[in-house]
Amino acid sequence: MRIFRTFPSVVALLTLTIFSLPAIAADCSLNSAKGKIQHVIYVQFDNVHFTRDIPNVPSDLEQMPNLLNFIRRKGTLLTNHHTPLISHTADDIITSLTGVYPDRQGEAVANSYVIFTPTGFSFPSSFTYWTDPVNTTTDTAFNLITADGKNAPAPWVPFTRAGCNVGAISIANMELENTTSDLNTVFGPASTEVQEAVTDAASKDPIVRAQPAADFEGIAIHCASGASLCSSATGGVNDVLPQEPLGYSGFSALFGHKFVVPAINSGNPALLDLDGQVITDSRGNVGFPGFGPITAAQTLAYTATMQEHGVPVTFSYISDAHDGPTRAFGPGEAGYVARLASYDEAWGKFFSRLSADGINEDNTLFIVTADEGDHFAGGPPSPANCDGVQVPCTYAKLGEIDSNIASLLQKQYPTILPSSFAIHFDMAPTFYIKGQPSTGDPALRTFERATAQLTTVSPITGNTDTLTRFLVDHPAMSLLHMITGDPLRTPSFIMFGDPDYFFLTSGPDAVEDPGFAWNHGGVDPKINVTFLGLVGPGVRQEGVTGRVWSDHTDIRPTLLSLVGLKDDYISDGRVLAETLAEDSLPHSLREGDRFTELARVYKQINAPLGDLGMDALAISTTALAGDDQSYTSLENQITAITAQRNVIAGQIRQLLDGAEFQGKKIDEHAADDLISQANRLLEQVRDLTGGSSSRSNHDE
């Protein structure tokens, strides 16, 4: 859920009327096979599961049969789909939208990370508009940044260049995320929008104070060049992307419910959700309801209204269903089941409404996924046979365990002072050591060895738990695509913790927190393995399958291949050709055996949660926990492996992209040689683990 616990540093803290409208904006030139795709509807959930958290309780998707049946009967639902690392809402969504890992878009470390400053640390949010800097004082780098320090290419560009208007509903960083820096970036510091925010911020009335967020956050339309929808008459402003690789000028956009909704709702600023209620925030302000609270009925109402009014490409987000107004719900609790039922109802209304508009699987590409899963932290349900639907579940023990890592470290190593480091509070805390000691520095090694040995007594089970699952510093972070183009935000090392625990630097050593029972960020299948649903022209109707190993970077190239567009850069992902009908593929992919073999081994050496990445996690953990001699030896081997992997993966990526987007047939001899090199590398790394690593699932 996009509500995050951020704390001080340890050294500082619509109407439901059916419309008869054109199926697509006249100038939108998608180039799908046989011209069948006229709309794209992309929806990304927050922490929604296909698999069950408790055997008796149907999963989230099982409790949304309107959505689940639509995908499995009319398309393909991939269940062997993976996140990047660290697995968080911002990171996962941006990876999905761009098709590149965090080292190429800047979101490697968390939703709200730490940066080094001359006086200590600061804690910016990674949820900002696409072209925002981290801040204007201590770190002026772009928040979304390429490996060479430029602003990351924006995901709407290929579509607007093709004449298509693109809508964004609560999806990370494609619309405004705050009423401070984002307003300055988009509207300018002297604008009336900024003045509204400044004036309302000074108000003592909480309802008034919330209006700028309802007006400007969460909703946007990026328009094709010359589109009247984003003209100055409707509130359109220049859509500025200063460092787009092939340039980007002459485009405009609408930002915020205040400008978007009247433009797509006959001038009326009050939009009805799919239940017929005016969309407001929690204080009753008409406008965007907020990132955390936004429901399926609200998101899908925005989506449908855009699709009906000349915005044929939409990217949307829906918040999770397991967080209640005052605390988290466990699987099968009445509040959780009721919320999923409302989501299911919304999907049913959404599909019916679109179908009446002539928008369906015959002319529309639907993509549905989740940013990540969550690990449920709690005790067993009561009664033991509860299923949530017929017999509600209750929980005597519910909540992740908040653990004061500063206290635990100092008790074990008295020389480790709380003032000497900061962390991003998380299940996978990133450690920032004052002075930014280099890799292998004795002071840094003290922190790493101490963290490897952390234990505490669980307040839920009474057992003594080992808190660290994996540890990585810069060599393994580089292999896992976690070193960004901004050294100020690169942590000294990262701890992937026990999934029942949430780490901070205050409070008791370990205490149950019922406000939060769903944990993510770390390395755990419940978190890192999610789902991807594809429906529409060119997609095979395979139902539910785990036969293809994929991750979030694969969504982008698969989407672009289907609609006949391409980015200005080469993706880290690959087209999921096994899920697509042969006549929807470019001719260079239709003899797909060699492409598929190459693509599959590519994922296993390059994806953070592929075989190589999982083995590297195990090797790095052994290195950081060990003595200096073994540490140096293993770290050097990780560095050498990364260099070798980068060469092989880079060559494979060129071959795949050539076949996917340049019409080049795969060179079989080159492919065979690269497949052999990749497999030898995997075996080499496997030998280093001594067979002790926990590898990810392969393609079936």
Side-chain angles (χ1 to χ4, degrees), residues 189-202:
S191 64
T192 57
E193 291 79 11
V194 169
Q195 188 56 49
E196 176 187 333
V198 171
T199 301
D200 289 355

Side-chain angles (χ1 to χ4, degrees), residues 404-417 445-456 464-468 471 495 509 624-625:
N404 183 343
I405 203 165
S407 171
L408 292 173
L409 282 170
Q410 192 169 28
K411 285 177 179 177
Q412 183 170 325
Y413 283 82
T415 59
I416 295 181
L417 302 178
R445 293 291 297 122
T446 297
F447 272 95
E448 292 171 345
R449 279 192 294 261
T451 304
Q453 298 172 30
L454 284 178
T455 62
T456 195
T464 297
D465 291 335
T466 298
L467 299 182
T468 298
L471 284 172
M495 165 194 176
D509 288 353
L624 271 62

